[in-house]
Amino acid sequence: MASNAPVGKPTDMSSPRLPKVAGIDSTVPAPPHTVAPLPGVPLAAPPSDAALPPGVLIQDRLASWVSDLTTLHELTERLIKTDSLDGALREMLGAGAALVGARRGMAVLEPADGLGPTSTIGLGLAHADLGTIETVPRGSGSYGRLLDGLPEAEPPGAGLPDADPPEAGLPGNGPTAPRRPARVPEPIAIRDVRTEEGLDPRHREVAARLGYAASYALPLATEEAGRLGAAVWLYDEPAEPDERRRHLIGLYGRFATEHLARLLQVERARARVATVAEELLPSRLPRVPGVRLAVRHLTGPQGGGDWYDALPLPEGALGLAVGSVSGTGPSALAAMGRLRASLRAYAVMEGEDPVAVLSDLELLLRLTEPARSATALFAYAEPAQRRIVLAGAGHAPPLVVGDHRTEFVETSLSAPLGMLTCWEAPSVELSPAPGETVLLYTDGLLRRTGDATDRAFARLHAAASSVPRADRSDPGAVADHVLRTLLPGGLDPAVEGEDVVLLAARFE
């Protein structure tokens, strides 16, 4: 009885096939690497014995691919934890150096839309070294060619053979048709700077001065994000990454670019919010005889509703105000702008009576924005007489700083604006001595310390008391000393929280 013969090619059907692993091209060979990777993130070295049995070779290659996947996972996990453009660029440079087997490098952030921000970060290069590299003509440097040579998005059909003209009104035609994503340029490898053709003599001179012999440049660009910049790694000896390393750095580079694109959007949003907040506040402080003014305004990532004002009033008087509205973000900024503009109008009409100014402000807030509350402090100052009349609505009391005293002004307790059906509280009058500085501030200064309210007030008093005598004649130096003492690390822009306003008025 004849046996059944197999159909087709038995050898091809029964031969083992390499498995496909997501994100890794199984056709890419895995030659051994010679440069140490990042600490704790080893790159797997494939077997060097070409005579191994097929099964063993497959297992070793599979183990190498799994190791590569693990490496990329750990590197991307490190990158995703960065929350600033500077931090992401530095992490990307370090990880890329391990993947391509280099020791030094630099990254240039230069978005193609020209809206910024721009920056240059170095790995193993001093600031002067970066400046030296930037003297190389951009057309000769690999990273410069990537930055200047990325094509912009082309309209659909560009580069295709001519066809019949599209009919008007059909989908996809006309000025609103979607644009084809920009093409991403290929990485540029210069294996030996000394022998590479077409390089500018200045490029070879800089390479000899800094001691590098080869480079590998990667575009920080994807079809979706466009061009954000470029990274270049420098080798001490003539070299270039092998095919496996190119594949890994390409995968990592695409992920890094998308992460940088997200951080860029966040950074631009923060910059716009900060710009709007600054435009809603005075562009400069007025000059009034008998008093010197200084202000410090620190803004959080979302942009809070803290504000200040200083406006000259009739007969040489001066109006000083600080306050905050509830909430953060654009809506709080808009409410802050409306509140500040209204207070200016009331101050011009009846500024000598701070209680009347805040009462009018309370009525306006209650009628126009019933769901919002605000705190405010308004002071009517007559510098020539060194006389101040002030009233506060749910606001922290001012602080008087001088050679012979540092004390809080005793003000009456009052609810914030918008909390009562009718707001009214007695005003307080004080007379600063010559050379004394009155500090007006928002609650954000106290809350940003992270302490309980009583502890924060005590720290503020201690900070004001410790102002060096030589700095007490300058209101700006007084404000800076208080901020450095209370917030030694500054205002972390990545940490959610209230804004900080500190307005200092020194009376002559």
Side-chain angles (χ1 to χ4, degrees):
M1 181 174 179
S3 59
N4 293 330
V7 180
K9 300 181 180 179
T11 340
D12 293 341
M13 295 180 63
S14 59
S15 60
R17 298 182 180 273
L18 298 180
K20 294 183 178 180
V21 182
I24 296 295
D25 185 0
S26 59
T27 62
V28 175
H33 64 83
T34 57
V35 179
L38 288 178
V41 189
L43 286 174
S48 57
D49 188 0
L52 289 176
V56 176
L57 181 59
I58 292 173
Q59 292 179 359
D60 288 343
R61 285 188 176 180
L62 180 59
S64 177
W65 298 333
V66 171
S67 178
D68 288 345
L69 282 175
T70 303
T71 296
L72 289 176
H73 174 73
E74 294 185 6
L75 293 179
T76 53
E77 282 290 313
R78 292 185 185 183
L79 181 65
I80 204 66
K81 293 178 181 178
T82 59
D83 55 6
S84 67
L85 287 172
D86 183 83
L89 286 172
R90 294 186 185 279
E91 175 62 32
M92 183 271 302
L93 266 182
L99 290 174
V100 302
R103 187 172 61 88
R104 294 179 291 174
M106 63 180 289
V108 179
L109 181 68
E110 190 177 299
D113 56 16
L115 301 179
T118 61
S119 64
T120 301
I121 302 296
L123 172 68
L125 297 170
H127 184 73
D129 297 335
L130 296 177
T132 301
I133 294 177
E134 290 176 347
T135 63
V136 176
R138 284 172 67 107
S140 177
S142 54
Y143 79 92
R145 281 146 56 188
L146 291 177
L147 291 176
D148 297 338
L150 178 62
E152 298 297 331
E154 297 180 351
L160 299 178
D162 293 336
D164 294 335
E167 298 181 14
L170 291 180
N173 299 327
T176 58
R179 298 179 68 85
R180 179 180 299 171
R183 292 193 298 268
V184 179
E186 294 295 323
I188 298 177
I190 299 178
R191 179 173 179 78
D192 193 338
V193 176
R194 294 169 297 182
T195 60
E196 183 80 11
E197 297 181 358
L199 294 185
D200 189 274
R202 177 61 181 169
H203 192 166
R204 305 185 200 276
E205 178 185 342
V206 168
R209 177 182 302 180
L210 298 182
Y212 69 88
S215 65
Y216 185 76
L218 182 76
L220 299 178
T222 63
E223 293 183 352
E224 294 76 17
R227 186 200 73 198
L228 301 184
V232 58
W233 290 276
L234 308 176
Y235 295 88
D236 296 339
E237 301 292 339
E240 63 178 314
D242 54 41
E243 192 174 359
R244 170 172 167 265
R245 288 179 176 274
R246 288 176 182 247
H247 184 64
L248 291 176
I249 191 60
L251 293 173
Y252 181 78
R254 287 194 291 273
F255 181 88
T257 300
E258 295 297 335
H259 181 60
L260 288 170
R262 291 189 290 271
L263 293 178
L264 182 64
Q265 293 178 354
V266 173
E267 182 65 25
R268 287 178 173 178
R270 289 175 179 172
R272 286 193 292 266
V273 169
T275 300
V276 171
E278 292 300 325
E279 290 297 326
L280 291 174
L281 297 173
S283 57
R284 62 182 181 86
L285 297 175
R287 295 179 178 271
V288 178
V291 64
R292 294 172 58 194
L293 301 175
V295 68
R296 300 294 183 265
H297 181 209
L298 307 179
T299 307
Q302 296 295 328
D306 286 19
W307 54 276
Y308 66 91
D309 207 347
L311 65 157
L313 297 175
E315 299 180 359
L318 176 69
L320 300 174
V322 292
S324 63
V325 299
S326 58
T328 59
S331 63
L333 290 175
M336 176 265 284
R338 293 190 294 267
L339 199 68
R340 173 180 167 268
S342 301
L343 184 139
R344 289 177 71 93
Y346 298 147
V348 171
M349 293 186 295
E350 49 191 3
E352 67 279 359
D353 185 358
V355 173
V357 172
L358 294 185
S359 296
D360 293 341
L361 202 62
E362 154 73 21
L363 179 60
L364 177 71
L365 186 68
R366 183 156 41 88
L367 293 177
T368 59
E369 301 187 59
R372 194 180 297 277
S373 63
T375 67
L377 186 146
F378 178 73
Y380 177 81
E382 296 175 313
Q385 290 76 34
R386 292 195 303 278
R387 174 176 174 268
I388 299 177
V389 181
L390 61 89
H395 208 82
L399 184 62
V400 180
V401 181
D403 292 336
H404 304 291
R405 65 168 175 168
T406 299
E407 60 185 25
F408 290 102
V409 178
E410 293 187 6
T411 57
S412 58
L413 295 176
S414 172
L417 302 176
M419 301 293 289
L420 301 177
T421 55
C422 181
W423 181 91
E424 187 170 344
S427 60
V428 176
E429 183 174 331
L430 68 145
S431 299
E436 289 188 332
T437 299
V438 178
L439 295 179
L440 310 181
Y441 52 93
T442 57
D443 294 342
L445 178 63
L446 303 174
R447 293 198 176 101
R448 280 285 187 169
T449 63
D451 296 325
T453 302
D454 55 348
R455 171 64 177 164
F457 274 116
R459 289 186 57 189
L460 174 58
H461 186 277
S465 301
S466 64
V467 175
R469 187 173 298 273
D471 292 341
R472 297 195 176 189
S473 59
D474 182 0
V478 173
D480 290 335
H481 177 84
V482 170
L483 286 176
R484 284 195 307 268
T485 306
L486 285 181
L487 305 174
L491 193 65
D492 189 348
V495 176
E496 297 287 346
E498 298 185 50
D499 294 355
V500 173
V501 169
L502 185 57
L503 178 61
R506 183 183 187 275
F507 290 82
E508 305 295 341

